Amino acid sequence: MNTTGRLFRLTTFGESHGEAVGGVIDGCPAGLSIDMEAVEHDVQRRRPGQSTYTSPRNEKDSVRFLSGLFQGVTTGAPIAFIIENRDVHSEDYDHLSRVFRPGHADYTYFCKYGFRDPRGGGRSSARETAVRVVGGAVAKQLLAPLGIDCRAYTSQIGCVQLPKDLSARYSREIVEASPVRCPDPSISAQMEAEIAAAQSACDSVGGIINCHIGGVPAGWGEPIYDKLHAALGAAMLSINAAKGVEIGEGFALASMRGSEANDQMTTDDADNITFCSNHAGGISGGISTGQDIHLRIAFKPTPTIGQEQQTINENGEVVLLAAKGRHDPCVVPRAVPVVEAMAWLTLADAFLASRTDRIE
């Protein structure tokens, strides 16, 4: 599947070293004025070459819209766009043309298709996530007027981590001031050192991103097989290198008693229903409670590293590989805007579904 969403749908296409990557957004309501500068801003947050802790690939990542807009306003037709690939060094991957990188999708793509594009990983490359950020930027402009806010930040790199606080909300300015998108300057410096140490050892390191979503009203999401947290989880796990997702307290709930885990309910001075806690992370029974939604997403280390490792080639022969090329020593800093984009896309879909659930 190259499409995410049911009502607000994004289909992506393109490979890392092809002419371009791009997408088609279908289901976006007509009459939405698109702020092109805001779209470009989000895409630039993801692009490579931002710092010494990201891939040195130098892509301008300028978005060109092809359809679905008239004078900057959505028409209701499919919105097609492309991002051209300019800085490709395909020859860097010649040594990988018949070798499977450990931990990479090389082997599984070959098993599925009997063929693969080794240039930058082809379709399995995180280059595809640039398209998701464009889709997420459009979804954000649909939802932000409703008072919905989505912010992600780096909470852990390797063994260096922020204290766990699901209720913490940080300004985007503080997050973006850090090269690794960690809101605490002292811990950010430790995270930077962790990445630098991995780099110097020709290695890589993983981490965790926290995502905080506010303003979602109660009642979004579908029961049973299309629960809101299941949709968010699937969206996050579709991101390259993502290996785990927690909603609310997540795995910590397994060690609690029901009396601790339950979010007891009350009313405020205006007789509005409120909760005394938010261990569930803003979703209960697969449907939003009206509380803030909290996600934590774990990312594995980048599989392509310069250290020599044992693997096999397409002939089944055991070989040693020390990979070359331009790769992020840690995917987490650039994955922050991708996490936000996937959250916006999922919520846009849930919003449109909420409008069709019942006839007023």
Side-chain angles (χ1 to χ4, degrees), residues 95 98-102 107 308-322:
H95 69 297
R98 298 197 176 278
V99 178
F100 303 122
R101 284 170 286 180
Y107 175 66
E308 193 171 75
Q309 293 189 299
Q310 179 178 299
T311 186
I312 61 169
N313 59 25
E314 292 180 2
N315 296 323
E317 301 165 330
V318 175
V319 297
L320 294 177
L321 172 68

Coordinates of all heavy atoms in Angstrom, one line a residue, residues 95 98-102 107 308-322:
H95 N 28.6 -0.5 -4.5 CA 29.1 -1.6 -3.7 C 27.9 -2.4 -3.0 O 28.1 -3.4 -2.5 CB 30.1 -1.2 -2.7 CG 29.6 -0.3 -1.6 ND1 29.0 0.9 -1.8 CD2 29.5 -0.5 -0.2 CE1 28.6 1.4 -0.6 NE2 28.9 0.6 0.3
R98 N 24.5 -5.8 -4.9 CA 24.1 -7.2 -4.8 C 24.4 -7.7 -3.3 O 24.4 -8.9 -3.1 CB 24.9 -8.1 -5.8 CG 24.6 -7.7 -7.2 CD 25.0 -8.8 -8.2 NE 24.6 -8.5 -9.5 CZ 23.3 -8.7 -10.0 NH1 22.4 -9.2 -9.2 NH2 23.0 -8.3 -11.3
V99 N 24.5 -6.7 -2.4 CA 24.7 -7.1 -1.0 C 23.6 -6.6 -0.2 O 23.1 -5.5 -0.4 CB 26.0 -6.5 -0.5 CG1 26.3 -6.8 0.9 CG2 27.2 -7.1 -1.4
F100 N 23.1 -7.4 0.8 CA 22.1 -7.0 1.7 C 22.6 -6.3 3.0 O 23.4 -7.0 3.7 CB 21.2 -8.2 2.1 CG 20.6 -8.9 0.9 CD1 20.8 -10.2 0.7 CD2 19.8 -8.2 0.0 CE1 20.3 -10.9 -0.4 CE2 19.2 -8.9 -1.1 CZ 19.5 -10.2 -1.3
R101 N 22.3 -5.1 3.2 CA 22.7 -4.4 4.5 C 22.0 -5.0 5.7 O 20.8 -5.1 5.7 CB 22.5 -2.9 4.4 CG 23.4 -2.2 3.5 CD 23.0 -0.8 3.3 NE 21.8 -0.7 2.3 CZ 21.2 0.4 2.0 NH1 21.7 1.6 2.4 NH2 20.2 0.4 1.1
P102 N 22.7 -5.4 6.7 CA 22.1 -5.9 7.9 C 21.2 -4.8 8.5 O 21.5 -3.7 8.6 CB 23.2 -6.2 8.9 CG 24.4 -6.4 8.0 CD 24.2 -5.5 6.8
Y107 N 17.0 -6.8 2.0 CA 16.7 -8.3 1.9 C 15.2 -8.5 1.8 O 14.8 -9.3 0.9 CB 17.3 -9.0 3.2 CG 16.9 -10.5 3.2 CD1 17.4 -11.4 2.3 CD2 16.0 -10.9 4.2 CE1 17.0 -12.7 2.3 CE2 15.7 -12.3 4.2 CZ 16.2 -13.2 3.3 OH 15.8 -14.5 3.3
E308 N 32.5 -2.7 9.9 CA 32.4 -3.9 9.1 C 31.5 -4.9 9.8 O 31.6 -5.2 11.0 CB 33.8 -4.5 8.9 CG 33.9 -5.6 7.9 CD 35.3 -6.1 7.6 OE1 35.9 -6.8 8.5 OE2 35.8 -5.7 6.6
Q309 N 30.5 -5.5 9.0 CA 29.5 -6.4 9.6 C 29.4 -7.6 8.6 O 29.6 -7.4 7.4 CB 28.2 -5.8 9.8 CG 28.2 -4.7 10.9 CD 26.8 -4.2 11.2 OE1 26.1 -3.7 10.4 NE2 26.4 -4.5 12.5
Q310 N 29.0 -8.7 9.2 CA 28.7 -9.9 8.3 C 27.3 -9.9 7.7 O 26.4 -9.5 8.4 CB 28.9 -11.2 9.2 CG 28.7 -12.5 8.4 CD 28.9 -13.7 9.2 OE1 30.0 -13.9 9.8 NE2 27.9 -14.5 9.4
T311 N 27.3 -10.2 6.4 CA 26.0 -10.3 5.8 C 26.1 -11.3 4.6 O 27.0 -12.1 4.6 CB 25.5 -8.9 5.3 OG1 24.2 -9.0 4.7 CG2 26.5 -8.4 4.2
I312 N 25.1 -11.3 3.7 CA 25.1 -12.2 2.6 C 24.9 -11.4 1.3 O 24.3 -10.3 1.4 CB 24.1 -13.3 2.7 CG1 22.7 -12.8 2.8 CG2 24.5 -14.2 3.8 CD1 21.6 -13.9 2.6
N313 N 25.2 -11.9 0.2 CA 24.9 -11.3 -1.1 C 23.8 -12.0 -1.8 O 23.2 -13.0 -1.2 CB 26.1 -11.2 -2.0 CG 26.7 -12.6 -2.3 OD1 26.0 -13.6 -2.3 ND2 28.0 -12.6 -2.6
E314 N 23.4 -11.6 -3.0 CA 22.2 -12.2 -3.6 C 22.5 -13.7 -4.0 O 21.5 -14.4 -4.3 CB 21.9 -11.4 -4.9 CG 21.3 -10.0 -4.5 CD 20.9 -9.2 -5.7 OE1 21.1 -9.7 -6.9 OE2 20.5 -8.0 -5.6
N315 N 23.7 -14.1 -4.0 CA 24.0 -15.5 -4.3 C 24.0 -16.3 -3.1 O 24.3 -17.5 -3.1 CB 25.4 -15.6 -5.0 CG 25.4 -14.9 -6.4 OD1 24.4 -14.9 -7.1 ND2 26.5 -14.3 -6.7
G316 N 23.7 -15.7 -1.9 CA 23.7 -16.5 -0.6 C 25.1 -16.7 0.0 O 25.2 -17.4 0.9
E317 N 26.1 -16.0 -0.5 CA 27.4 -16.1 0.0 C 27.7 -15.1 1.2 O 27.2 -14.0 1.1 CB 28.4 -15.8 -1.1 CG 28.3 -16.7 -2.3 CD 29.1 -16.1 -3.5 OE1 29.2 -14.9 -3.7 OE2 29.5 -16.9 -4.4
V318 N 28.3 -15.6 2.2 CA 28.6 -14.7 3.3 C 29.8 -13.8 3.0 O 30.8 -14.2 2.5 CB 29.1 -15.6 4.6 CG1 29.5 -14.7 5.7 CG2 27.9 -16.5 5.0
V319 N 29.5 -12.5 3.2 CA 30.5 -11.5 2.9 C 30.6 -10.5 4.1 O 29.7 -10.5 5.0 CB 30.2 -10.7 1.6 CG1 30.2 -11.6 0.4 CG2 28.8 -10.0 1.8
L320 N 31.6 -9.7 4.1 CA 31.8 -8.6 5.1 C 31.5 -7.3 4.4 O 32.0 -7.0 3.3 CB 33.2 -8.6 5.7 CG 33.6 -9.9 6.5 CD1 35.0 -9.8 7.0 CD2 32.6 -10.0 7.7
L321 N 30.8 -6.4 5.1 CA 30.4 -5.1 4.5 C 30.6 -4.0 5.5 O 30.2 -4.0 6.6 CB 28.9 -5.2 4.1 CG 28.3 -3.8 3.7 CD1 28.8 -3.4 2.4 CD2 26.8 -3.9 3.7
A322 N 31.4 -3.0 5.0 CA 31.5 -1.7 5.7 C 30.8 -0.7 4.7 O 31.4 -0.3 3.7 CB 32.9 -1.3 5.9

